[in-house]
Amino acid sequence: MSARRERPPAHCYQGVMPSAISTCSADGTPNVTYLSQVYYLDETHVALSCQFFNKTKQNVLENPYADVQLWDPVSFEAWQLALRYERAETSGPLFDTMAARIQAIASHTGMAGVFRLISSDVYEVLSCVPVEGMLVSGDLPTSLPDVMPGPRSELRGLQRISAVTCRESNLDELLGATLEALDEALGFEHAMVLLCEPADEDGEPLLRLRASHGYGEVRLGTTLRPGEGLIGTVAQERRILRFSGLPAELRYGRAVRASAEHSGQRTALGPELPLAGLPDSQSHLALPLRVGERLVGVLAVESRRAVAFDEWHEAFLEVVASQVAVALDNARLRGAGASTSTSTSTSTSTGAGTGTGTGAGADTGTGVALKVQFFRNDDCVFVDGEYLVRNVPGRILWKLLRSHADTGRSEFSNRELRLDPSLGLPPIRDNLESRLSLLRKRLEQRCPRLQLVPASRGHFRLQVEGPLELSEADHPG
């Protein structure tokens, strides 16, 4: 076997054209099938996705050699990889990266939990050579027409976006100017930003479409949940996802869905989800917007070209995403601070004992005790006999009120909440900031005599107007 190794172009590994794998059992019986992913690790290793290929996996466990054929979607050249099976990984960074891609397609085609990655199988590359004689003509293109600007434009684009994030303080203006800069400097014609917002009483966040560019009439405010589709998967897994030849990936997913339906798994399948942006999108790149470990939102760009995004786009947009996330976070904090100041001023100016508000705790008279009751068996908080909040936000509020009543404390930290086992926060992705944001908004709307006010990074104050009357019981029924 030849020891010759060459590296095919990076877009051979993007899945635009499906790759085929051939294996052979110990008794010499061949098997050929298509692969979902061929993941480039280094010059001497690739990882192949293992999902349903029982015969392929059985063969390489008996006879560890395999051949994989890759196709270049630009030049239409074919490359032959001679491989030797080494190991299967079922956890860790490699597995998580490959699983997220499959999870996104599964979510779109209604197969979450059915169409999944079993293992990332690592192979040593024994040789990698172009297949001679595959092309009839030497005049086929070696690059796509009208491709997006290359790395030479990075510095100019980054300079433009940095200026925008430093200049704009209004949230909507910041988002609009950033997406325009991405188009003008780098040719990202279709882009959108979805921001994290608390969704319900359990504090599970929503992603809300807050800004878009290049889509014409769009419905700003459209929401989806983490884990739903490509963008939702990026939010849930907090990792970059890049797809080229997206329709082919979806067709593959639908084919697996049809097979699952035929085998009697229809009840385990969900509805297929539409794409969030272009219905005929070919390429898609989405990145989480994070401040530290906290998710702020998702930046997504897409194109009707089959191979629109490359590795350098990922690297560049990661830098952009970090800048935008911090600018967004600062803009939202400024907005929240202004809103809190206005709310506090309004509450103070109403005077004691006016009793003109509506909803729980609307009577802002500081001479009347605010009656807060916590029901232990379902973690509900009622104020003056009216429901306020439940579950984790309810437990957080009760902890703050009890501490304030018992010790007089008014300032708390996110860290101490995370370390308190009585709150029942999950050890990973606790969404504490989202739960606090939900609680803050609920208090502003229904109980203005209780407020959570940002104090410093990772700290906040509990503001209480007037006396409190706290009680704890089991909820009847």
Side-chain angles (χ1 to χ4, degrees):
M1 182 175 293
S2 170
R4 180 185 173 193
R5 288 194 191 92
E6 299 181 32
R7 182 183 177 185
H11 38 251
C12 291
Y13 296 96
Q14 293 184 18
V16 179
M17 301 177 71
S19 303
I21 180 172
S22 57
T23 59
C24 190
S25 65
D27 64 6
T29 304
N31 182 70
V32 179
T33 189
Y34 285 103
L35 286 162
S36 174
Q37 288 185 67
V38 180
Y39 189 88
Y40 177 83
L41 291 174
D42 55 45
E43 290 185 357
T44 58
H45 292 88
V46 295
L48 309 183
S49 57
C50 177
Q51 293 153 263
F52 305 110
F53 304 145
N54 296 330
K55 184 60 178 174
T56 297
K57 189 60 173 283
Q58 179 183 339
N59 283 354
V60 297
L61 291 177
E62 295 177 3
N63 175 23
Y65 297 98
D67 281 342
V68 167
Q69 188 159 292
L70 299 175
W71 294 85
D72 187 330
V74 176
S75 68
F76 303 105
E77 286 183 291
W79 295 73
Q80 194 78 17
L81 277 65
L83 308 176
R84 180 168 55 207
Y85 176 75
E86 286 191 351
R87 66 185 185 276
E89 295 191 7
T90 57
S91 63
L94 171 62
F95 179 83
D96 291 343
T97 298
M98 297 181 71
R101 185 182 181 93
I102 292 174
Q103 181 181 338
I105 296 299
S107 176
H108 263 299
T109 52
M111 291 190 299
V114 177
F115 183 48
R116 61 188 179 87
L117 185 66
I118 297 173
S119 65
S120 298
D121 292 350
V122 178
Y123 289 75
E124 180 188 3
V125 179
L126 301 175
S127 68
C128 176
V129 296
V131 178
E132 304 294 341
M134 289 295 295
L135 301 179
V136 176
S137 169
D139 296 328
L140 289 172
T142 58
S143 62
L144 288 177
D146 301 323
V147 295
M148 297 175 67
R152 64 183 180 276
S153 302
E154 287 185 15
L155 186 58
R156 183 181 63 204
L158 190 59
Q159 180 185 36
R160 174 76 186 277
I161 293 165
S162 296
V164 167
T165 55
C166 291
R167 182 180 66 244
E168 303 293 350
S169 58
N170 176 273
L171 183 62
D172 293 323
E173 292 176 359
L174 169 65
L175 292 173
T178 298
L179 297 185
E180 286 182 12
L182 285 173
D183 185 4
E184 292 175 8
L186 292 154
F188 291 104
E189 297 175 354
H190 299 91
M192 66 179 73
V193 174
L194 296 92
L195 299 185
C196 281
E197 295 184 2
D200 51 29
E201 297 167 355
D202 295 326
E204 292 300 324
L206 277 178
L207 290 169
R208 187 177 301 277
L209 180 61
R210 188 61 183 263
S212 68
H213 178 80
Y215 294 99
E217 294 295 325
V218 296
R219 294 180 60 187
L220 294 181
T222 300
T223 62
L224 58 86
R225 291 185 179 276
E228 291 182 349
L230 307 184
I231 293 175
T233 301
V234 169
Q236 179 172 281
E237 299 300 320
R238 303 192 184 190
R239 64 177 66 246
I240 298 173
L241 276 181
R242 171 165 56 99
F243 285 89
S244 296
L246 184 58
E249 300 265 10
L250 293 174
R251 282 196 300 270
Y252 179 72
R254 293 178 188 123
V256 177
R257 178 190 175 99
S259 177
E261 290 177 342
H262 183 71
S263 63
Q265 300 183 60
R266 184 183 296 272
T267 56
L269 305 178
E272 181 167 347
L273 300 176
L275 294 173
L278 297 172
D280 55 349
S281 174
Q282 292 278 337
S283 298
H284 194 100
L285 175 57
L287 306 91
L289 300 173
R290 294 184 298 181
V291 177
E293 293 302 314
R294 181 163 50 87
L295 184 71
V296 177
V298 174
L299 168 65
V301 297
E302 57 183 343
S303 173
R304 291 188 172 95
R305 293 188 292 271
V307 190
F309 309 126
D310 212 335
E311 293 176 355
W312 79 266
H313 292 101
E314 285 191 21
F316 173 75
L317 283 180
E318 250 191 311
V319 177
V320 171
S322 297
Q323 283 194 302
V324 172
V326 172
L328 285 174
D329 203 41
N330 290 338
R332 295 182 98 177
L333 285 174
R334 283 192 294 269
S339 174
T340 302
S341 298
T342 303
S343 175
T344 303
S345 174
T346 302
S347 298
T348 303
S349 66
T350 57
T354 57
T356 58
T358 59
D363 183 356
T364 59
T366 56
V368 180
L370 192 66
K371 297 180 180 179
V372 183
Q373 190 169 25
F374 178 70
F375 293 100
R376 293 181 293 260
N377 54 334
D378 56 6
D379 298 325
C380 282
V381 176
F382 280 66
V383 176
D384 287 341
E386 295 187 25
Y387 169 77
L388 178 66
V389 72
R390 67 181 303 167
N391 293 338
V392 174
R395 293 196 293 270
I396 291 174
L397 177 60
W398 188 245
K399 170 187 169 63
L400 302 179
L401 291 175
R402 287 270 25 143
S403 181
H404 177 76
D406 295 342
T407 67
R409 283 187 64 192
S410 60
E411 186 162 329
F412 303 86
S413 71
N414 292 8
R415 184 174 184 274
E416 69 177 284
L417 296 183
R418 286 194 166 94
L419 295 176
D420 188 342
S422 69
L423 298 180
L425 291 168
I428 301 175
R429 298 175 188 156
D430 55 35
N431 294 324
L432 176 61
E433 286 77 10
S434 297
R435 300 174 197 271
L436 287 173
S437 178
L438 167 71
L439 180 57
R440 184 179 297 113
K441 290 181 179 179
R442 189 64 58 87
L443 292 173
E444 289 175 358
Q445 295 167 357
R446 300 188 183 182
C447 188
R449 287 175 61 179
L450 300 176
Q451 295 293 309
L452 300 184
V453 182
S456 60
R457 187 173 183 83
H459 293 75
F460 62 92
R461 288 192 302 274
L462 172 67
Q463 289 187 350
V464 180
E465 292 187 15
L468 290 174
E469 185 178 309
L470 305 182
S471 62
E472 192 171 343
D474 288 331
H475 199 286

